[in-house]
């Protein structure tokens, strides 16, 4: 066989393989999103300049904004089990962050500053009042930064298992930039995304990170997270590549030190290095209050919602 024939055969084989992978990727997204198991009742849309933001509004009283963790499979569903209790004394706003859940997932590089601006604009345009805020995990960093920039928009702040100072301070380097470039490729990047956000991978994350007690994991919760990760077709991978590239990280030490809002940190007993993280935050802002919920891990609001809601209510209603 001539070199020209071998080259032609290689090109055809490569094209066929890419086509098969693309078809598989498309089928995965369509199957995951085929059953809309999210509750869209009473939902609202905030038409933000970078994309529509899906949110709900429930209850009466002082506004409380709930912000889910910044993960590709996360959404406002994270707070569902606490809404009824919290809405008895608050007007509860729950958002799907840009790139997550039912919010739009534009193909751009997601940064901490993008979410800081989104949060600021949402409070000004939608809530319209100074508000209490609760956030989880990686989302805590842009709440702190937004408060540092516009403290008049925020009242009390609840942080559930926030990222450590080390994680917040990570920056893009040559390795993660190369990995981000790989994920951003239309075919191979989507395949990497689908593997990382498969139902099995999401279930494993709940077993090893999110919950301390595997018996409390509801299969419907895994389905919710799996669907959330695959709404919006393959553009969903843009957030994934930005997170992996550390573009959503930002040092928060200066902002945390200068804000004088009341802050309450809730930790899961089995969250990795949570006591060390709380110490880091308290060293920078000594007035921070904190508590640990026993027998929980990264998502105590899902694992022990009644206990978590009670802690939040006691803090938010204290004078």
């Amino acid at each position: 066989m001539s070199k020209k024939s071998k080259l032609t055969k290689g090109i055809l084989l490569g094209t066929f393989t890419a086509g098969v992978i693309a078809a598989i990727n498309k089928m995965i997204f369509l199957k995951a999103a085929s059953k809309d198991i999210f509750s869209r009742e009473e939902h609202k849309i905030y038409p933000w300049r970078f994309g529509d933001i899906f949110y709900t509004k429930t209850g009466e009283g002082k506004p409380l904004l709930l912000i889910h963790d910044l993960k590709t499979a996360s959404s406002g569903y994270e707070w569902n089990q606490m809404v009824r209790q919290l809405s008895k004394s608050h007007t509860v706003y729950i958002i799907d962050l840009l790139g997550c859940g039912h919010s739009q997932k534009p193909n751009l590089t997601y940064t901490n500053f993008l979410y800081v601006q989104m949060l600021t604009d949402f409070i000004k345009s939608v809530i319209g009042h100074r508000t209490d805020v609760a956030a989880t995990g990686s989302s805590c960093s842009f709440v702190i930064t937004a408060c540092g920039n516009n403290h008049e928009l925020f009242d009390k702040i609840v942080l559930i298992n926030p990222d450590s100072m080390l994680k917040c301070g990570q920056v893009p380097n040559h390795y993660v930039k190369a990995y981000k470039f790989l994920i951003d490729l239309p075919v191979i990047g989507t395949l990497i995304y689908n593997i990382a956000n498969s139902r099995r991978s999401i279930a494993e994350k709940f077993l090893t990170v999110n919950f301390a007690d595997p018996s409390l994991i509801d299969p419907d919760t895994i389905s919710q997270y799996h669907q959330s990760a695959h709404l919006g077709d393959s553009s969903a991978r843009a957030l994934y590549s930005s997170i992996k590239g550390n573009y959503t990280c930002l040092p928060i030490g200066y902002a945390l030190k200068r804000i004088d809002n009341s802050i309450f940190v809730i930790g899961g007993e089995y969250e990795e290095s949570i006591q060390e993280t709380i110490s880091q935050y308290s060293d920078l802002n000594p007035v921070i209050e904190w508590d640990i919920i026993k027998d929980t891990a990264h998502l105590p609001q899902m694992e022990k919602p009644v206990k978590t809601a009670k802690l939040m209510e006691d803090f938010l209603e204290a004078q």
Side-chain angles (χ1 to χ4, degrees):
M1 185 181 293
S2 66
K3 290 184 177 180
K4 184 176 181 180
S5 297
K6 290 181 178 179
L7 179 61
T8 301
K9 185 177 180 180
I11 292 174
L12 290 174
L13 181 60
T15 302
F16 175 76
T17 302
V20 170
I21 294 174
I24 292 173
N25 287 334
K26 185 69 174 179
M27 186 169 59
I28 290 172
F29 274 90
L30 290 174
K31 184 177 180 181
S34 61
K35 294 183 179 180
D36 192 356
I37 54 180
F38 278 86
S39 173
R40 298 177 67 92
E41 297 180 4
E42 305 291 330
H43 81 275
K44 301 176 184 293
I45 296 294
Y46 166 48
W48 194 43
R49 52 182 165 162
F50 290 108
D52 289 347
I53 304 301
F54 178 97
Y55 74 97
T56 59
K57 178 183 177 182
T58 311
E60 295 181 356
K62 185 179 180 183
L64 170 62
L65 175 60
L66 303 180
I67 306 169
H68 62 79
D69 198 0
L70 187 60
K71 300 291 188 293
T72 49
S74 298
S75 69
Y77 175 80
E78 177 182 303
W79 302 97
N80 273 13
Q81 297 183 64
M82 295 174 54
V83 175
R84 181 174 295 181
Q85 188 169 346
L86 292 175
S87 61
K88 292 177 181 178
S89 55
H90 292 83
T91 301
V92 180
Y93 295 83
I94 303 178
I95 59 174
D96 285 356
L97 296 172
L98 191 72
C100 299
H102 273 109
S103 290
Q104 281 192 281
K105 301 179 179 182
N107 187 17
L108 49 77
T109 297
Y110 293 77
T111 67
N112 192 288
F113 291 111
L114 177 77
Y115 287 113
V116 167
Q117 192 60 57
M118 191 210 82
L119 176 58
T120 302
D121 291 345
F122 185 86
I123 295 175
K124 287 181 177 179
S125 301
V126 178
I127 299 178
H129 300 280
R130 192 178 190 193
T131 182
D132 295 328
V133 179
T136 305
S138 298
S139 296
C140 296
S141 64
F142 60 80
V143 171
I144 292 169
T145 304
C147 182
N149 294 340
N150 295 274
H151 65 88
E152 71 280 358
L153 299 178
F154 297 80
D155 197 358
K156 294 186 176 183
I157 297 173
V158 178
L159 307 176
I160 298 180
N161 288 316
D163 285 346
S164 68
M165 291 295 170
L166 178 62
K167 186 172 182 180
C168 290
Q170 291 177 336
V171 296
N173 55 40
H174 293 303
Y175 172 76
V176 296
K177 285 181 179 179
Y179 188 52
K180 181 182 185 303
F181 174 80
L182 187 64
I183 299 171
D184 285 337
L185 294 175
V187 177
I188 188 65
T190 303
L191 179 61
I192 293 172
Y193 178 87
N194 284 335
I195 293 172
N197 290 276
S198 67
R199 185 180 177 88
R200 177 178 294 182
S201 295
I202 291 170
E204 182 66 20
K205 181 70 72 173
F206 268 84
L207 286 168
T208 59
V209 177
N210 291 342
F211 273 47
D213 185 352
S215 68
L216 297 177
I217 301 173
D218 187 340
D220 286 344
T221 295
I222 306 302
S223 297
Q224 291 278 44
Y225 273 67
H226 186 233
Q227 183 197 341
S228 177
H230 292 87
L231 290 171
D233 203 18
S234 59
S235 59
R237 75 181 189 278
L239 174 59
Y240 182 72
S241 70
S242 298
I243 292 172
K244 289 297 182 180
N246 293 332
Y247 289 91
T248 56
C249 297
L250 185 74
I252 61 170
Y254 178 74
L256 183 61
K257 188 174 183 178
R258 68 192 293 261
I259 62 178
D260 59 2
N261 300 66
S262 296
I263 301 175
F264 183 42
V265 177
I266 297 176
E269 181 183 12
Y270 293 99
E271 172 77 356
E272 184 178 0
S273 304
I274 185 59
Q275 290 285 5
E276 181 181 348
T277 299
I278 291 174
S279 295
Q280 292 171 353
Y281 280 57
S282 298
D283 287 344
L284 290 170
N285 195 321
V287 300
I288 288 178
E289 302 175 58
W290 62 273
D291 203 344
I292 299 292
I293 301 181
K294 291 184 177 298
D295 300 319
T296 64
H298 189 63
L299 296 174
Q301 64 268 51
M302 297 184 73
E303 196 165 12
K304 288 198 173 183
V306 175
K307 174 66 174 178
T308 306
K310 182 63 167 59
L311 282 176
M312 287 179 56
E313 285 180 321
D314 290 346
F315 169 72
L316 295 175
E317 295 174 8
Q319 296 299 319

